[in-house]
Amino acid sequence: MKPENIRGPIPPRQSLDDHDCRGVASVLARVGDKWSVFVIMMLGDGPKRFNELKRMVGGISQRMLTLTLRGLERDGLVTRTVFPTIPPRVDYELTDLGRGLCHPVKSLGEWAVSHQDQIEAARSRFDERSARD
């Protein structure tokens, strides 16, 4: 046998086991959720009040914004600060972890905005072809 035909031991492939995949999937589900992307983008320039966020994130219901903020808070991406005023004032702000995510999420959101027309055109072409078939 020639030396080039002799193989040494094959190193084990680095892969995620099922547990790791589930963990990563849950993180990606949170940060990939459309409302989470918008909220993280809006909080990127500083703390906001609930109603301010609701106005900034067009189309989100009060319930969905509440659920999104709770999920982001649970994952350690957002903090909720209640000020003892009447009525109580509540501010939401990105944590250090959330600020670390802000740049890639903002880039993703900007990419989606800038390519929205191209994607819509591709969808229309696909739908036309599918309708003919």
Side-chain angles (χ1 to χ4, degrees):
M1 211 183 257
K2 295 181 182 179
E4 59 267 14
N5 293 334
I6 299 173
R7 293 186 179 173
I10 298 173
R13 288 182 55 190
Q14 294 293 325
S15 66
L16 298 174
D17 62 23
D18 289 339
H19 175 74
D20 290 333
C21 287
R22 286 191 303 268
V24 169
S26 72
V27 171
L28 292 176
R30 166 69 57 219
V31 300
D33 168 78
K34 70 177 178 177
W35 297 122
S36 294
V37 168
F38 287 131
V39 169
I40 290 168
M41 287 174 61
M42 295 304 117
L43 290 174
D45 61 350
K48 304 277 185 300
R49 295 177 78 172
F50 183 91
N51 284 328
E52 188 178 6
L53 281 170
K54 189 166 180 330
R55 282 190 300 274
M56 294 173 84
V57 182
I60 193 169
S61 68
Q62 182 167 333
R63 174 169 164 67
M64 186 52 65
L65 180 56
T66 298
L67 292 173
T68 300
L69 287 166
R70 281 186 189 159
L72 292 170
E73 185 180 8
R74 180 175 182 251
D75 289 347
L77 301 171
V78 168
T79 58
R80 178 180 184 268
T81 305
V82 180
F83 295 93
T85 60
I86 299 178
R89 176 179 154 194
V90 180
D91 282 358
Y92 295 90
E93 183 175 13
L94 293 175
T95 62
D96 288 341
L97 186 63
R99 281 189 286 280
L101 179 62
C102 191
H103 181 71
V105 164
K106 187 175 181 181
S107 295
L108 177 63
E110 290 169 351
W111 180 90
V113 168
S114 66
H115 292 87
Q116 188 174 0
D117 293 339
Q118 291 172 282
I119 291 170
E120 187 56 42
R123 288 175 178 170
S124 293
R125 288 189 304 272
F126 179 89
D127 292 346
E128 287 172 15
R129 282 193 316 270
S130 295
R132 284 189 301 232
D133 294 344

